[in-house]
Amino acid sequence: MVPDIGRGSRTHGLLIYLYGAGRREEHTDAHIVGSWDGFAPDPGRDTSPDPDPKVTLARLTAALDLRVKQAGDRAPAKHVWHCSVRTAPGDRRLSDEEWNAVAQRIVHATGIDPDGDPDGCRWIAVRHAEDHIHIVATLVRGDLRNPRLNYDFNKAQATCRLIEKEMGLRRLNAGDGTAAKNPTSAEKFKAERTGRPETSRETLREAVRQALAGADDEREFFTRLHEAGLRVKMRRAPSGDALGYNVALPGDRNRHGEPVWYPGSKLAPDLSLPKIRLRLADGTAERTTSSTADGRPDWSPPARERRSATGIVERAAVLLDSDDDEAAAQLVGVGELLDAVAQTSPAATRAELGAAARAFERATRSHVRAERAGTRALRTAARGIIQAGSALGRGEDGGTTAMLVSTLVLVTLAAARWHSARGHAQQAHASRQAAEHLRAAYRQAAATPMRALRDQGRALPEAERRTHEATIRAALPEQGPRADSSSTKTDALAATLAQAEQAGHDPKALLQQAIDMRELDTAENTNDVLVWRLRRLAYLPAHPGEATRRPQASTSHPKTATNHTINRTAPTAAARPAASDPRNRPPRR
């Protein structure tokens, strides 16, 4: 059950709308289901001789506005309080009596008309559809004072949660005041009228988030806004210092022909200029350019940045699993990274990745505060991905996108657990929604490279194949093929172990390192997760059609290091990444 509260100054105009046909002829059988005294005149069901709806509507307006007129100048300018209350899709149809009880509880809880108070405000509840009512009240009490409506929205929300439980309705997640403002009905109707798939507010919110992803400073952020085609207007102090900013879509104008401006803070709580400045204060780390000098393949820039980001995301997941409040900063960084990946991925996965980024946006905000320094690595990864751009048409891009998205699924699930442990129901739900979109994107990105890997696994010599299957069975008994089964679910994993061995790694030690990096219980497909971890750790090409570079030094199997959290499989000196590049170190558990 969802309440939506607004203020206005025209009682008669609102009543005309509620008793009218609606903007799309959707209003039917408008009638009062409850009122302040139970005897309010009802234009929809006037039983008097020769009823005239216009006359009855005027009588109802006069009755509601009586105390407003008596108060004169002491009445508030916006004296009309309007609250629509809607049941969730799939809920049962409530009777008029039940809606009356709902309205009475809401006006009591919000302070409009408290139980036992003879001087409560005048109000009515109008029903013109099966799934919702409109409560209209005038904000002058019987003693001609204004009612105290502090936190009326929060009180209405809390009351609706109780009503859902008592009436057996769908129970919605409780909010915590950190959600972005929803589009108004007027904004939704305007979007429909102009043929836009979403409201201007939603389009601008996403555009601002994308401009912020990986931005190095305030100047770059505003440059990106202009490059995205948005209109930008700064709010400045007399000294000339910027205090805030407004954005508008080109061509989006009001009835007076003026641009419809939205302040950043009205798009989302964390998109105000002061909040953006806090996020940008940490900056991003300097990036180094990889080459083939150390024996590693010279990946294309998009592939290299996605590989680098995968390790950083692994570390973020570990921090979220630690259940530390300081991990809240990781959520902000993951949100920026999702925005960056969505902007630069191929068309096949862009829609699902964009949906994941929009869903996870809700998971980045809560009342838990943490040091923002923890976001620097993720923001740097987001910046690198945006600067490298996309590699449309390159098979390697599909492989490294699958590698990164596979890990992003796990980090969003870790975020869901982190939020659930703190009672953040909306944020946990948003994280799980993001994970579902990411899983869909992964299936699209991984289809071609995983099919090629499975073909390579089936083409291995029988003896070599059996050796790698035994390694898999020993490390993951539940994943290994059974003797009475023709299952080929480990083909891609066997092919990856074979390629890692060819590149000079110990398959057993490397596989154990991949398993030990973090838990695999939340993985939809454990084998796929391990394939991408192994290919990243062993510097194997994400797209199996490319040749594997052998180490320049000895190709004998290295011994397992004592400290397995750093290097369980120590590759040869030529295959080992440069120690000075922190992006190339396996994540600590």
Side-chain angles (χ1 to χ4, degrees), residues 453-464:
L453 279 171
R454 286 192 292 269
D455 290 343
Q456 291 180 4
R458 286 190 287 270
L460 289 173
E462 185 65 20
E464 184 178 3

Side-chain angles (χ1 to χ4, degrees), residues 400-431:
T400 48
T401 296
M403 178 184 289
L404 175 56
V405 172
S406 173
T407 309
L408 284 169
V409 171
L410 298 182
V411 80
T412 52
L413 292 174
R417 292 192 299 273
W418 188 89
H419 279 303
S420 294
R422 288 157 180 79
H424 303 163
Q426 289 188 357
Q427 291 90 332
H429 177 67
S431 299

Side-chain angles (χ1 to χ4, degrees), residues 1 12 17 39 74 79 98 109 121 182 196 202 204 214 218 225 228 255 272 300 302 317 350 357 448 507 524 540 576:
M1 183 171 284
H12 190 257
Y17 167 73
F39 299 102
R74 290 177 293 168
H79 64 270
E98 288 175 312
C121 297
N182 289 324
R196 293 198 190 102
E202 292 167 311
L204 290 168
E218 193 173 321
L225 289 181
R255 69 181 66 179
S272 66
S300 66
R350 192 174 301 152
T448 298
E524 188 176 50
L540 300 174
R576 186 182 302 121

Side-chain angles (χ1 to χ4, degrees), residues 326-342:
E326 288 300 312
Q330 301 298 311
L331 300 170
V332 177
V334 171
E336 286 200 35
L337 186 59
L338 278 169
D339 283 323
V341 175

Side-chain angles (χ1 to χ4, degrees), residues 167-181:
M167 290 190 172
L169 303 175
R170 177 182 168 189
R171 300 178 67 177
L172 303 182
N173 293 323
D176 60 0
T178 61
K181 180 177 174 58

Side-chain angles (χ1 to χ4, degrees), residues 306-322:
R306 280 165 168 73
R307 284 172 168 270
S308 172
T310 302
I312 294 169
V313 172
E314 284 273 10
R315 287 192 284 275
V318 172
L319 290 172
L320 287 167
D321 283 336
S322 69

